[in-house]
Amino acid sequence: MTPAGAEIPAEPVASAEAFGARLHGAFARFGRLCVGIDPHSWLLTDWGLPDTAAGAESFGRAVVAAAAGRVGIVKPQVAFYERFGSAGYLALERVLADARAAGLLVIADVKRGDLGTSVEAYGQAWLSQGSPLEVDAITVNPYMGVGSLNSTVDLAADNHKGLFLLAATSNPEAAHLQQAVLADGAHAGRSVAASVLDQVAAINADLVPAGSFGSIGVVLGATVSLADFGIDIHAPAAPVVTPVLAPGFGHQGANPADLAGLFGGYAQGVIVSESRSVLSAGPARVADEITRRSTEAGATRG
């Protein structure tokens, strides 16, 4: 680990392989489990750590060490670092440096979304080679229009990175918006959530060959009925596999054994995201819990 106060080397994730291909490789080698890095106040207390940037750093780096060699993907929730201001971001940079050095795929849960040069700058912060915050993929918010993310899509493609667009999330406040049916335009008659999937499928079809994993994915909650969002999971599969970041497994009740029933034709690309179910095991047992949860998801390897 880098000593406290030391400069953090950028350690760029220089890869000529697209994010989708690397994700497929992680599935094949480690299975689908993605371990969240969420230093809630109560988790820091349970782990015997202070509710400070230093505590969040120790927590995150311990989770990375436990995940390395056991799973292929981690997902830091940036909000839990951002709450400590600049010290929190320095802590996060150190966590990300450890994850890069361990060869883990890192999905930063940042949910960024904006217009023009602003959204372009967000993409540069997280997806540029050599950035201190460089990760493999980020979550983004398409609710100013999927087209508002075009510059970020281009940056992701140029740097072999990925994006996950919010589509059908599990929070009840989102349902009235995401289930709403579009009255006109190219996707008239489709729900907002379904139109996001349609547009992501079209982007991937332009970027990668048929039969491969796309690098642009969506967020679909594992605890919602996708039919309620106008998403037909039994429709013919798209020619390119859409990566699906699926929160809701473990603590929230979804079971990886039910992937086919929950996601149908989208199941091939599902990332099984778990946080509290793993992290609540505590520092002495988190590695064993990662192994156990990864084994339970093992039957769903890509």
Side-chain angles (χ1 to χ4, degrees):
M1 292 185 178
T2 305
E7 291 297 317
I8 305 303
E11 297 180 33
V13 185
S15 173
E17 193 173 35
F19 171 74
R22 287 182 283 133
L23 178 64
H24 192 196
F27 278 11
R29 185 177 179 190
F30 295 106
R32 298 168 179 266
L33 184 65
C34 169
V35 175
I37 303 177
D38 300 4
H40 296 267
S41 296
W42 64 268
L43 269 173
L44 292 176
T45 299
D46 287 353
W47 279 48
L49 295 169
D51 188 18
T52 62
E57 177 184 339
S58 295
F59 178 94
R61 299 177 82 174
V63 174
V64 166
R70 294 179 174 88
V71 294
I73 315 165
V74 293
K75 182 177 71 67
Q77 171 47 264
V78 172
F80 292 114
Y81 288 91
E82 190 171 295
R83 68 196 180 102
F84 297 116
S86 59
Y89 269 98
L90 178 58
L92 178 61
E93 288 177 19
R94 290 172 174 155
V95 174
L96 297 179
D98 282 2
R100 288 193 293 268
L104 291 160
L105 282 182
V106 183
I107 302 170
D109 200 348
V110 295
K111 298 184 179 70
R112 298 297 193 246
D114 212 315
L115 300 171
T117 54
S118 296
V119 75
E120 184 176 1
Y122 281 132
Q124 291 166 348
W126 297 97
L127 303 176
S128 294
Q129 302 281 352
S131 168
L133 293 171
E134 182 185 2
V135 293
D136 295 282
I138 60 173
T139 56
V140 290
N141 189 333
Y143 289 102
M144 281 188 273
V146 171
S148 69
L149 300 169
N150 283 347
S151 64
T152 312
V153 170
D154 291 342
L155 182 65
D158 290 345
N159 288 331
H160 312 294
K161 305 295 190 179
L163 302 176
F164 289 90
L165 281 66
L166 303 181
T169 59
S170 56
N171 60 306
E173 301 88 351
H176 76 284
L177 171 62
Q178 296 169 0
Q179 295 175 7
V181 176
L182 300 175
D184 52 30
H187 301 278
R190 298 284 278 162
S191 70
V192 170
S195 75
V196 171
L197 265 72
D198 292 345
Q199 292 173 81
V200 166
I203 293 168
N204 281 327
D206 286 341
L207 292 175
V208 297
S212 58
F213 270 56
S215 293
I216 311 301
V218 293
V219 178
L220 301 177
T223 56
V224 300
S225 169
L226 295 180
D228 292 343
F229 290 78
I231 298 170
D232 181 4
I233 64 173
H234 303 297
V240 174
V241 177
T242 299
V244 175
L245 180 61
F249 291 95
H251 177 81
Q252 296 179 54
N255 189 326
D258 299 329
L259 275 186
L262 293 170
F263 294 98
Y266 295 99
Q268 186 179 356
V270 169
I271 300 166
V272 175
S273 181
E274 297 193 26
S275 298
R276 279 174 287 179
S277 58
V278 173
L279 304 176
S280 60
R285 295 183 52 246
V286 65
D288 289 341
E289 189 62 15
I290 288 172
T291 298
R292 186 179 76 82
R293 298 299 296 175
S294 182
T295 299
E296 289 186 3
T300 57
R301 289 182 186 272

